Amino acid sequence: MVKKSITVTDKQDSWIKAQIEMGHYGNESEVVRELIRERQLREQAANREVEAIRAKLIKAEENGFTDQSPEEILTEIKQGLGRNAM
């Protein structure tokens, strides 16, 4: 592990301490590591969404025109992501 020094606002410090006091975490490092993990997961999900949209655009270009509205295409993409289409 690498030791880091960070600066937070008073409000953020209070929130971190409250999380520990409520028993959600054992120490401040656990809080920060969990926040980083959550952010990493959100970024991965966003990347998967971009790749799904890119794949759909490529497929659409290869297939020609569609009668679907942009809203229908977006709905289809989102539903596909929910089923782990990628």
Side-chain angles (χ1 to χ4, degrees), residues 3 5 7 10 14 17 23-24 53 55 66-67 72-74 80:
K3 186 173 180 151
S5 174
T7 303
D10 290 336
S14 295
K17 288 177 179 174
H24 296 298
I53 291 169
T66 181
D67 293 332
E72 291 170 327
I73 293 170
L74 185 57

Side-chain angles (χ1 to χ4, degrees), residues 1 4 7 18 22 24-25 36 38 42 50 58 64 68:
M1 289 215 181
K4 297 282 183 186
T7 303
M22 289 187 287
H24 296 298
Y25 302 94
I36 292 169
E38 288 176 6
R42 281 196 313 271
V50 167
I58 291 169
Q68 288 179 297

Side-chain angles (χ1 to χ4, degrees), residues 13-31:
D13 185 54
S14 295
W15 182 83
I16 291 170
K17 288 177 179 174
Q19 297 301 304
I20 295 166
E21 289 171 9
M22 289 187 287
H24 296 298
Y25 302 94
N27 59 52
E28 293 174 347
S29 293
E30 288 180 11
V31 177

